[in-house]
Amino acid sequence: MTSVLEVKNIVKIYDDEKDQFATKALNRINLKIEKGELVAIMGPSGSGKTTLLNLLSGIDSPTSGTIHIANKELSTMNKEELALFRRQHLGFVFQEFNLLDSLSLKENVMLPMILEKRDAVYMETKTKEIMSTFGIYDIADKYPYSISGGQQQRAAVSRALANDPSIIFADEPTGNLDSKSSKTIMECFEKINKEMETTIVVVTHDVFAASYCNKVIFIKDGILDSQIVKKGNRKDFLDQIIDCLAVLGGGTHDD
Amino acid sequence: MTIKQIAVKIFKSNLKRYLFYFLCNSFAVMVFFMFSTLLFNESLHRSKEIEEGINEAVMIPTVALLIFSIFFISYAHSTFIKGRKKEFGLFMTLGMSTRDIRKIILVENSIIASASICLGIIAGTLFSRFFFLIIMSLIGVKSVSFELNVNSYLYSIGLFSVIFAIAVAVTMVVTSKFEIVKLLKEERTSKKNKRANPVLAAIAFIALLASLYILYAYFGTVPENDGQLLLFCTISIMITLYITISQLGSFCLNIIKRRPSSYYRHLLLLTNLDYKFKQVKKIIYLITVMVIVTIFYIGFVLYIFLGAEKAATDLHPYDIAFVQTGVSFDKLSAVVATKENPITEHKTLEVSNYFDSANYNFRTVIVADDQLSAVANKPIQVEKGSYLILVQLNLQGKAEQNRMIADIQQDLPNIGIDKLQSAMFERLINDLKYIDNSLIVLNSADYQQLKSNTSEVQTAEIQFLNMKDWKNSKDAVIKLEEKLSAANKVTPEFEQLIQRRLMTEQEFFQPGSKIGLYDYNKQGGGLILYLVTFISVLFFIATVIILLLRLFSELEDERKNYKKLFKIGITEKEIRKIIAGELKILFFAAPILGIVISLVYTSTFFKESGMDLEIYRSSLSISSVYLLFQLIYYFIVKRKYANQIIGD
Ligand SMILES: Nc1ncnc2c1ncn2[C@@H]1O[C@H](COP(=O)(O)OP(=O)(O)OP(=O)(O)O)[C@@H](O)[C@H]1O
Ligand SMILES: [Mg+2]
């Protein structure tokens, strides 16, 4: 197995200009994620999960350390190249969906392809294919503010898939959803992961959501705490995660 | 917590928004006040130095300003309210009733309205003296002093109270339709334009073109109906323009959508425009109308101003001409000539005024061909027994000329000569109130006979002078005018004529001079030009404010959108391009549309006067200056705005 993502010794320090008070959000993190893995990152609030994800996706840059994705080192790229890299190789799903209100669902899903200036016919077929997979093609022409949260998130997942990314990052994708919708979303991820062998990294507080993954990484106070790998069925894995969280402390603050 | 306490709390948290609204209002009040000081300045009305008719000219810009203020304030008001709808929604979920919300709106707006009227008037009082001095020195008027009239205060307070009251009243009515869900979603949904109706769009667009064409093609064909035609077409243009603007955007979008490849390529730009169009269309319309009015008006005034000399020489072949009765020419010429500016040429034309007793003493002015020929410096010969009609107007159409000839023939008195030799349409002698635009020219033998035969003829001499330097003849003309009005003898027939024309005797005998007309046009054109320029600058500032208001009220949303796109992987270059595209439409759609329509108006009014290219030059130069300013403004805003959205 080749590793799609390799993180070495990253440190992230937020400088606060006002109080001259620096927050060390991440402290010497090392991480390796192999192709085709479905990984959950868990940890108490403020432990640096979102920060980690932002660094991995090039939205923000680390204070020190290196990040390799698909054999490319992010720090060697400038802002422009990073943007291009993101839309060509990465997919994103966010807690607050991040769909554009001015675009219909279909157009939202197409957006990464449009930025890539793909051919119109190709975009249409691709969009139809993805959206049908997630059962939202029949509402393709609706606008984000007139559909449910679960549907919006499925559209966001569809959008993340548009450019056949090598890796998908999701930051609390189920945070705004009820358990039924959460289940649908996680099943989507499972399906993508199985069928297309797409690597997926999910940050979540939700143990139930995490149990869908093959591996759970726990971080605390900006440091990698531990990780567990799924061996048996999902139910056992769920219990295992709950135990780990209990040890970790802080736990799942919003449940 | 009482409503009052809440209102104060909100006030504090929304300070920026309030401040902007407040300043917009104060600005409008101040400008109007400054203008009204000019309007109500009594010494300006009484001044001899200011030519007549110029006071009326101040009226037009004032009305334009007032209409503009109404739009401007209601726009600022609705933006202000719109920005707060989400807040109102929140209040309502917390249990506030519509009545409470109304109370808040009423209290806030009363405070802001009275404060901005106060500030506006105070600032206006301070600045108006300055404004006045500038304008008067620009048009070279010294005798008029600055006055602050109570009327300025009363009108400013009264009018703006009414405007504010109406704006608030409209909002009050709207509040009854407030629904919590909609208010909370306001930001996300309301901007969406309703689907365009392609049929309506097409009809409106065709109707707009038709109105413009009808105005252009038929204006002037039936002079009596011109007023109605102008009114009708203008109303129809204003309405169809609005529908066109509001429909055409989404109409075009629908067409583009049929070609997915180009639609998708510009998806973000197009959908962004469409998404915001509901608000943008009003702005585009408002700016378009302002551009039409200013470009047309300034172009026109600039033309008069720049053409003052040409108009003076065109209308007055000789530097000075006057009717001499009751006083000898030597006495008059002594008044006119000076050492520095002597008379270089002098010619005399005798005119016979024939009062037709059979036709209510209708007067006909008759001259002899040889004398006219000498004055006009061109051979004019009339056969014995025939007459020639001279019309000193530049009538273009054959039909019009024939109608004129027929009119003159109908009133021709019975002088025993009724064979029309020909008609001339040309300016040969100065424009004088004393004679009409049309003259009858006879063979000199016939003329002498007519003069001696009939007692109904009263003769007078018109003197034509050329000076060394006509631009220096103002004093001479003023003195001459005084002398003439003191000396002229008026017969009962003339008295009747003067009365019929609603003139004073002095006006009737006024000399027709190049310098008089020149000064009139320069001064009148100048005053209007400066006023209109002033207003246009205000319009420009106002559009700047409106556009800024619009852009920066959206800034937060734009930032959020950009963040979303940034995460997906849009590059900075791409986002700048989209912003530029959006701003281009917002900044230039209205000016270009407005300029085109104003040019149609200009052509309409000037097609009769023989396609004078000067007027187009004036209009186009004004348009270019405007576009240039807009371009500079665009570049500045584009940078700033994009930087604001993208952030560092
Ligand atoms: N832009 C920022 N500037 C300064 N400090 C920041 C910034 N973003 C995050 N932090 C700080 O870094 C630490 C990690 O934040 P981060 O958002 O990564 O936590 P998280 O694990 O995602 O928490 P949550 O589960 O609540 O989303 C926190 O202490 C936070 O206050
Ligand atoms: Mg987070």
Side-chain angles (χ1 to χ4, degrees), chain B residues 577-632:
Chain B
K577 215 170 127 195
I578 291 169
I579 292 172
E582 225 180 288
L583 292 186
K584 253 180 229 153
I585 297 211
L586 198 59
F587 276 66
F588 295 106
I592 289 173
L593 199 60
I595 287 170
V596 170
I597 295 178
S598 79
L599 281 183
V600 173
Y601 270 91
T602 306
S603 336
T604 302
F605 280 96
F606 287 89
K607 68 174 174 190
E608 281 300 303
S609 62
M611 296 311 269
D612 193 340
L613 288 178
E614 286 297 318
I615 180 72
Y616 292 103
R617 199 174 299 163
S618 305
S619 288
L620 287 175
S621 46
I622 286 299
S623 306
S624 332
V625 169
Y626 176 63
L627 284 179
L628 184 72
F629 273 120
Q630 190 78 347
L631 202 66
I632 294 171

Side-chain angles (χ1 to χ4, degrees), chain A residues 49-50 171-172:
Chain A
K49 303 181 298 289
T50 302
D171 191 359
E172 303 187 35

Side-chain angles (χ1 to χ4, degrees), chain B residues 45-99:
Chain B
H45 288 248
R46 276 186 263 105
S47 170
K48 276 241 167 87
E49 224 181 323
I50 300 277
E51 301 280 355
E52 241 175 284
I54 288 170
N55 288 319
E56 278 73 25
V58 185
M59 203 62 211
I60 301 167
T62 311
V63 172
L65 190 64
L66 192 62
I67 292 172
F68 171 75
S69 304
I70 295 173
F71 272 100
F72 186 67
I73 288 181
S74 63
Y75 183 77
H77 176 79
S78 69
T79 310
F80 175 67
I81 294 291
K82 209 167 263 157
R84 320 212 30 224
K85 278 196 179 160
K86 202 176 174 186
E87 207 170 84
F88 292 151
L90 204 63
F91 289 156
M92 284 170 82
T93 45
L94 296 178
M96 257 193 199
S97 66
T98 347
R99 259 191 59 180

Side-chain angles (χ1 to χ4, degrees), chain B residues 58 153 182 225 324 355 367 401 475 494 554 579 638:
Chain B
V58 185
Y153 290 95
K182 277 199 186 143
N225 294 342
Q324 175 207 346
F355 287 93
V367 295
Q401 292 187 352
D475 285 344
F494 268 110
E554 297 275 299
I579 292 172
K638 190 181 80 173

Side-chain angles (χ1 to χ4, degrees), chain B residues 232-517:
Chain B
F232 174 76
C233 284
T234 302
I235 291 174
S236 138
I237 287 169
M238 290 301 140
I239 295 171
T240 52
L241 179 68
Y242 184 72
I243 304 174
T244 305
I245 287 177
S246 62
Q247 297 284 325
L248 212 61
S250 352
F251 180 62
C252 292
L253 196 69
N254 283 348
I255 290 176
I256 299 174
K257 264 188 180 168
R258 299 213 184 111
R259 298 191 44 218
S261 55
S262 49
Y263 172 66
Y264 289 140
R265 196 172 324 128
H266 304 289
L267 180 81
L268 280 175
L269 174 63
L270 292 171
T271 49
N272 253 2
L273 283 173
D274 186 41
Y275 187 59
K276 296 171 184 162
F277 204 66
K278 196 175 165 189
Q279 291 160 359
V280 171
K281 69 184 177 189
K282 276 187 201 139
I283 297 176
I284 291 186
Y285 179 69
L286 190 59
I287 297 179
T288 307
V289 172
M290 290 196 298
V291 172
I292 295 173
V293 174
T294 21
I295 298 287
F296 170 70
Y297 206 48
I298 296 206
F300 178 53
V301 175
L302 190 64
Y303 167 73
I304 292 179
F305 186 69
L306 295 179
E309 185 163 343
K310 189 172 177 294
T313 39
D314 279 356
L315 217 57
H316 298 289
Y318 285 88
D319 294 349
I320 303 172
F322 58 90
V323 187
Q324 175 207 346
T325 57
V327 61
S328 75
F329 176 72
D330 290 343
K331 267 193 186 146
L332 292 173
S333 67
V335 168
V336 173
T338 58
K339 246 205 195 93
E340 305 84 53
N341 200 9
I343 297 170
T344 54
E345 196 178 3
H346 169 222
K347 282 183 180 158
T348 305
L349 175 69
E350 189 189 70
V351 295
S352 289
N353 295 286
Y354 187 99
F355 287 93
D356 190 357
S357 51
N359 186 10
Y360 309 103
N361 264 349
F362 184 85
R363 180 188 70 154
T364 309
V365 181
I366 302 168
V367 295
D369 60 352
D370 55 343
Q371 280 190 47
L372 182 66
S373 188
V375 171
N377 281 326
K378 69 187 277 184
I380 297 166
Q381 250 218 309
V382 183
E383 298 287 313
K384 239 173 124 31
S386 306
Y387 66 95
L388 181 144
I389 294 176
L390 170 66
V391 179
Q392 301 207 87
L393 289 175
N394 191 12
L395 289 183
Q396 296 288 322
K398 220 47 247 124
E400 202 127 321
Q401 292 187 352
N402 287 337
R403 194 163 41 227
M404 188 87 191
I405 294 170
D407 276 356
I408 294 168
Q409 279 180 313
Q410 197 189 355
D411 282 326
L412 198 68
N414 185 14
I415 48 174
I417 296 169
D418 48 12
K419 185 161 169 283
L420 175 65
Q421 177 180 310
S422 63
M424 286 173 79
F425 289 86
E426 201 180 337
R427 168 139 323 264
L428 295 179
I429 62 175
N430 287 28
D431 186 35
L432 284 172
K433 297 246 162 60
Y434 180 86
I435 50 174
D436 303 309
N437 280 325
S438 55
L439 302 172
I440 300 297
V441 189
L442 298 182
N443 179 285
S444 63
D446 286 345
Y447 176 80
Q448 291 306 332
Q449 198 175 8
L450 177 80
K451 206 173 101 180
S452 57
N453 272 1
T454 152
S455 59
E456 282 150 319
V457 168
Q458 297 180 20
T459 60
E461 277 186 346
I462 301 181
Q463 309 292 355
F464 295 92
L465 305 177
N466 272 334
M467 314 290 293
K468 191 171 160 216
D469 175 17
W470 66 262
K471 282 195 182 162
N472 254 329
S473 58
K474 180 81 181 170
D475 285 344
V477 172
I478 291 177
K479 276 188 221 145
L480 181 68
E481 200 173 332
E482 281 165 7
K483 264 259 161 13
L484 284 175
S485 70
N488 270 311
K489 287 210 184 84
V490 177
T491 61
E493 285 86 1
F494 268 110
E495 222 158 59
Q496 212 186 344
L497 182 70
I498 294 169
Q499 256 176 20
R500 265 207 304 252
R501 302 228 165 142
L502 303 172
M503 284 182 194
T504 64
E505 214 179 287
Q506 193 184 347
E507 274 171 346
F508 188 72
F509 288 104
Q510 213 169 37
S513 63
K514 279 183 185 150
I515 188 70
L517 185 62

Side-chain angles (χ1 to χ4, degrees), chain B residues 544-559:
Chain B
V544 166
I545 295 176
I546 290 176
L547 288 174
L548 281 183
L549 193 65
R550 152 96 209 134
L551 288 174
F552 288 91
S553 69
E554 297 275 299
L555 197 61
E556 258 329 294
D557 291 356
E558 291 297 323
R559 258 191 212 139

Side-chain angles (χ1 to χ4, degrees), chain A residues 86-87 101 107 124 145, chain B residues 185 188 263-264 566 574:
Chain A
R86 265 206 301 283
R87 74 186 187 214
D101 286 333
E107 290 163 351
E124 299 271 4
Y145 45 80
Chain B
K185 271 196 175 179
R188 301 183 70 182
Y263 172 66
Y264 289 140
F566 172 72
E574 284 164 334

